[in-house]
């Protein structure tokens, strides 16, 4: 390789490393940018179909954006609007819930003492209540920060999304032109494969979450369980996290069943609904939609989720899976290149 | 259906062909015009003279060029090496390239010179069609060269967005492969004859 070609290659690698460092240093920009990119990938199959050969591309993009962004931010507005009332209800019900839980724990302690003659010294209810109080106070103190972050996202996400719709082709062309010749072919193909895999994974997870959420909602409606729509929505959203998600999604319904005084609220019915919905997901939906795309060992997935949560919280937990799948692909390619046998 | 056919059919049915002129098409037709006084050769002129794509209509050439990547190489710069993973097919837009092959020797150099390819010729079509392609030769720019490359992801996108164009391009690529296979077969037959003659002499 000639000297100036080497310089070009090192410059490009330095630029790439710089972009990665910038992304790590400025998460307030990176996270909305990443989120907008996920939305763009989710919308891409529709936009491609609708805009190919069409003269009204801008109008179509604008409509898709309007629908998508409204759909994303409507729950936030609804939450903000009802925040005051919901907090009031929650605060009013909290002492009662505390009493019920303390009675249940006391009953459990008595049972353990009768059976084994062993005195349990743990006091989980007061511990949890203290946590709720401290976390609640912390949350209330940070509400202005959360609101400013939310409005920042409401401004940045549509802006980045519009940029992806209108300029992604030019931007990616410019980026591709900057890639030096010796690594162009492989970089381009790997980048395309990653894009495809990532997009497919996001769409597949979205469909899977919708199916599971719908199943849980319908099941809870049938057995007459309270808050079927909210619980179905929570189960669907948490299902985006593989393996851990279904457990997290089950927790709110479990506590509602535990604290409810209504004799019609059946804990067994709710458990059966959640188990059935997750079984359908595990046996039918996941193998058909997601596993072929990701193709990772379950242990690798669980370890990846833990690493993802450490690096980027909930967003990290969701995004880490396709990244790990991509790195697997990358290492395979490198290994293949190193073991050339002509 | 091609754009021309679509317009012709609309006109024969007496339907409107659209009340707006598309600037990209207008710009393309301006560039493609034989009376154009632009000094540089347009992609249209170039591909109209590339033998494998001469069955493409004007609009098909215009769409095809959307999927191409322009890559510039300096004199003696390696385009790809024998044994590299191959993903794309290149047309020589300007300049020329030398093809070298290493026939079984384990040396680090490029191997023996095989052939020089000039403007409007093409190479690397196997990279586009084979699932796990390894380049069978080393290609080096003989002078400052501009290549127009099309790669696997572009072909997939073309088949998704413009299936007729994608199928047409695949057919042309398959024809190139068939021609090369025919050439190889003839060469093998000739070499076998020579080996037999040498055996009979010896």
């Amino acid at each position: 390789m000639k000297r100036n070609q080497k310089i070009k290659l090192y410059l490009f690698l330095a630029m790439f490393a710089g972009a990665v460092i910038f992304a790590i240093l400025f998460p307030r920009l990176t996270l909305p940018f990443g989120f907008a990119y996920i939305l763009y990938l989710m919308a891409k199959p529709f936009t491609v179909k609708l805009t190919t050969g069409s003269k009204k591309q801008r109008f179509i993009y604008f409509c898709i954006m309007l629908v998508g962004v409204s759909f994303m931010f409507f729950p936030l507005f609804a939450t903000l609007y009802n925040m005051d009332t919901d907090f009031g209800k929650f605060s009013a019900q909290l002492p009662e819930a505390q009493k019920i839980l303390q009675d249940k724990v006391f009953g459990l302690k008595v049972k353990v003492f009768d059976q084994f003659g062993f005195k349990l010294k743990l006091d989980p209810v007061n511990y949890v209540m203290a946590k709720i109080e401290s976390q609640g106070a912390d949350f209330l103190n940070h509400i202005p920060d959360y609101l400013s972050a939310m409005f920042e996202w409401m401004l940045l996400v549509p802006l980045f999304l519009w940029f992806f719709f209108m300029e992604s082709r030019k931007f990616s062309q410019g980026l591709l032109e900057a890639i030096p010749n010796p690594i162009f072919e492989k970089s381009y193909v790997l980048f395309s494969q990653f894009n495809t895999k990532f997009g497919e994974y996001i769409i597949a997870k979205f469909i899977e979450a919708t199916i599971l959420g719908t199943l849980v909602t319908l099941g809870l409606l049938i057995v007459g369980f309270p808050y079927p729509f909210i619980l179905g929505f929570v189960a669907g959203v948490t299902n985006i996290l593989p393996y851990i998600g279904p457990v997290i999604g089950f927790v709110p319904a479990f506590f509602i069943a535990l604290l409810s005084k209504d004799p019609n609220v059946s804990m067994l019915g709710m458990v059966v609904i959640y188990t059935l919905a997750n079984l359908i997901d595990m046996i039918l939906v996941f193998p058909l939609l997601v596993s072929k795309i990701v193709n990772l060992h379950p242990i690798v997935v669980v370890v990846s989720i833990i690493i993802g949560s450490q690096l980027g919280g909930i967003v990290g937990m969701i995004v880490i899976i396709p990244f790990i799948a991509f790195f697997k692909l990358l290492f395979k390619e490198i290994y293949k290149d190193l073991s050339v046998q002509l | 259906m091609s754009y021309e056919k679509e317009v012709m059919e609309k006109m024969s049915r007496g339907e409107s062909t659209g009340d707006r002129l598309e600037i990209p098409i207008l710009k393309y037709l301006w560039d493609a015009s034989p009376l154009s006084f632009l000094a540089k050769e347009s992609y249209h002129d170039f591909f109209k003279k590339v033998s494998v794509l001469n069955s493409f209509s004007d609009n098909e050439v215009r769409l095809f060029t959307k999927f191409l990547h322009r890559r510039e190489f300096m004199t003696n710069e390696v385009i790809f090496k024998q044994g590299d993973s191959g993903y794309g097919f290149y047309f020589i837009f300007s300049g020329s390239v030398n093809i070298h092959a290493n026939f079984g020797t384990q040396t680090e150099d490029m191997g023996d010179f095989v052939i020089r390819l000039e403007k409007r010729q093409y190479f690397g079509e196997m990279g586009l069609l084979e699932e796990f392609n390894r380049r069978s030769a080393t290609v080096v720019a003989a002078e400052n060269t501009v290549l127009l490359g099309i790669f696997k992801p572009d072909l997939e996108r073309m088949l998704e967005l413009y299936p007729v164009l994608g199928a047409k391009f695949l057919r042309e690529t398959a024809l190139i492969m068939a021609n090369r296979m025919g050439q190889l077969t003839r060469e093998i037959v000739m070499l076998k004859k020579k080996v037999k003659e040498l055996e009979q002499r010896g």
Side-chain angles (χ1 to χ4, degrees):
Chain A
M1 217 189 290
K2 282 182 178 176
R3 189 168 160 270
N4 49 2
Q5 286 168 16
K6 274 185 182 173
I7 291 167
K8 207 175 170 183
L9 181 65
Y10 294 141
L11 266 174
F12 177 78
L13 292 174
M15 199 174 73
F16 184 75
V20 171
I21 291 162
F22 180 87
I24 293 164
L25 288 177
F26 299 99
R28 272 173 67 183
L29 274 174
T30 313
L31 288 174
F33 187 83
F35 185 67
Y37 186 61
I38 287 170
L39 291 181
Y40 165 72
L41 287 176
M42 280 171 74
K44 208 176 170 183
F46 309 107
T47 54
V48 166
K49 287 272 181 292
L50 290 167
T51 57
T52 303
S54 170
K55 294 184 186 78
K56 296 186 172 77
Q57 286 191 358
R58 275 171 186 267
F59 178 70
I60 292 164
Y61 286 144
F62 183 74
C63 289
I64 288 171
M65 235 182 76
L66 205 67
V67 170
V69 173
S70 309
F71 181 75
M72 294 311 301
F73 289 115
F74 176 73
L76 284 171
F77 276 118
T79 310
L80 270 175
Y81 186 73
N82 297 316
M83 203 183 239
D84 192 31
T85 332
D86 287 345
F87 262 111
K89 274 185 189 174
F90 183 70
S91 306
Q93 285 176 353
L94 204 59
E96 198 184 345
Q98 187 178 359
K99 195 180 174 307
I100 294 166
L101 280 172
Q102 272 176 331
D103 289 346
K104 284 191 189 281
V105 170
F106 181 74
L108 183 74
K109 279 181 177 177
V110 169
K111 265 187 186 175
V112 169
F113 186 73
D114 288 346
Q115 290 280 331
F116 308 103
F118 179 72
K119 255 191 179 179
L120 280 173
K121 284 183 180 173
L122 57 109
D123 191 7
V125 180
N126 283 335
Y127 173 77
V128 169
M129 291 311 291
K131 272 270 178 209
I132 286 173
E133 276 173 25
S134 67
Q135 294 280 333
D138 192 47
F139 175 76
L140 288 170
N141 286 334
H142 282 97
I143 275 182
D145 298 341
Y146 296 141
L147 283 174
S148 70
M150 196 183 93
F151 285 119
E152 204 173 71
W153 273 57
M154 283 172 67
L155 179 79
L156 289 173
V157 170
L159 188 78
F160 286 140
L161 192 58
W162 186 251
F163 160 78
F164 282 127
F165 280 146
M166 299 309 297
E167 305 290 334
S168 66
R169 198 171 151 72
K170 274 184 193 170
F171 179 74
S172 60
Q173 265 180 343
L175 201 71
L176 286 168
E177 275 171 28
I179 299 175
N181 288 330
I183 58 167
F184 174 78
E185 260 193 52
K186 195 168 278 296
S187 306
Y188 177 49
V189 170
L190 282 171
F191 173 72
S192 300
Q193 279 180 333
F194 168 72
N195 241 1
T196 309
K197 266 204 185 291
F198 193 70
E200 281 176 351
Y201 175 79
I202 295 291
I203 289 163
K205 286 304 284 182
F206 181 72
I207 294 167
E208 187 196 11
T210 308
I211 291 169
L212 188 107
T214 309
L215 285 173
V216 169
T217 304
L218 289 174
L220 295 178
L221 273 170
I222 290 163
V223 297
F225 200 84
Y227 316 116
F229 291 98
I230 295 169
L231 289 172
F233 178 76
V234 169
V237 169
T238 53
N239 185 264
I240 291 170
L241 304 174
Y243 305 109
I244 299 163
V247 179
I248 300 167
F250 172 75
V251 171
F254 174 75
F255 275 103
I256 287 169
L258 195 72
L259 301 172
S260 179
K261 289 175 180 175
D262 188 349
N264 296 323
V265 173
S266 158
M267 170 77 86
L268 181 70
M270 181 272 294
V271 171
V272 167
I273 296 298
Y274 271 81
T275 311
L276 272 176
N278 279 297
L279 275 174
I280 291 167
D281 175 42
M282 274 190 288
I283 294 163
L284 279 172
V285 184
F286 188 84
L288 285 172
L289 281 173
V290 188
S291 65
K292 276 182 189 171
I293 299 165
V294 176
N295 198 17
L296 292 171
H297 194 278
I299 289 173
V300 175
V301 172
V302 172
V303 170
S304 304
I305 291 168
I306 293 162
I307 294 166
S309 73
Q310 289 254 315
L311 293 174
I314 290 172
V315 176
M317 284 164 104
I318 296 164
V319 168
I320 193 94
I321 306 293
F323 268 97
I324 296 292
F326 170 70
F327 281 119
K328 185 185 168 185
L329 188 86
L330 187 71
F331 284 122
K332 259 186 166 177
E333 284 293 326
I334 291 166
Y335 187 78
K336 217 164 67 178
D337 267 6
L338 291 172
S339 55
V340 174
Q341 295 229 327
L342 268 172
Chain B
M1 194 195 292
S2 77
Y3 181 74
E4 291 93 328
K5 274 185 185 173
E6 200 181 315
V7 171
M8 289 298 282
E9 279 195 10
K10 274 185 178 176
M11 284 170 78
S12 67
R13 288 198 299 264
E15 288 177 24
S16 163
T17 53
D19 52 354
R20 276 170 43 166
L21 269 174
E22 286 186 59
I23 298 298
I25 290 182
L26 206 64
K27 185 179 174 291
Y28 173 80
L29 291 171
W30 175 263
D31 282 352
S33 160
L35 301 171
S36 174
F37 46 80
L38 287 171
K40 61 171 186 170
E41 184 181 35
S42 70
Y43 285 173
H44 173 270
D45 293 337
F46 173 78
F47 281 111
K48 278 315 230 182
K49 289 170 193 162
V50 171
S51 57
V52 287
L53 300 183
N54 57 17
S55 67
F56 278 34
S57 68
D58 282 5
N59 190 52
E60 280 167 344
V61 170
R62 182 183 70 86
L63 291 173
F64 180 72
T65 56
K66 280 184 176 183
F67 295 91
L68 295 169
H69 299 264
R70 184 189 175 96
R71 305 298 301 175
E72 290 175 18
F73 294 85
M74 290 182 294
T75 311
N76 293 330
E77 190 177 348
V78 175
I79 293 155
F80 55 73
K81 281 183 182 164
Q82 186 171 339
D84 282 356
S85 299
Y87 304 100
F89 177 19
Y90 293 96
F91 295 90
I92 304 167
F93 186 67
S94 69
S96 58
V97 300
N98 289 333
I99 296 189
H100 299 257
N102 208 325
F103 300 107
T105 51
Q106 293 300 309
T107 51
E108 281 295 301
D109 68 310
M110 290 184 288
D112 304 322
F113 170 78
V114 178
I115 195 168
R116 172 175 283 212
L117 297 178
E118 304 285 347
K119 187 179 173 174
R120 270 186 263 282
Q121 288 187 292
Y122 39 83
F123 57 92
E125 64 280 354
M126 296 276 280
L128 201 60
L129 298 178
E130 264 192 315
E131 197 178 353
F132 301 109
N133 175 260
R134 292 275 173 214
R135 298 295 191 187
S136 53
T138 299
V139 182
V140 183
E143 57 193 290
N144 286 348
T145 302
V146 176
L147 300 177
L148 297 175
I150 182 162
F151 303 91
K152 274 179 181 171
D154 305 313
L155 180 62
E156 281 163 20
R157 216 155 43 89
M158 194 195 289
L159 285 163
E160 189 188 344
L161 297 177
Y162 306 102
V164 175
L165 177 71
K168 221 170 173 179
F169 176 63
L170 271 177
R171 189 192 63 190
E172 299 298 349
T173 316
L175 279 172
I176 296 168
M177 298 273 287
N179 287 339
R180 295 225 203 272
M181 288 287 284
Q183 220 172 343
L184 275 171
T185 312
R186 282 190 294 275
E187 273 185 33
I188 289 166
V189 169
M190 199 182 71
L191 284 168
K192 277 190 172 179
K193 267 186 185 175
K194 277 193 173 180
V195 169
K196 258 193 178 178
E197 278 173 19
L198 287 167
E199 278 175 349
Q200 281 167 354
R201 275 186 208 169

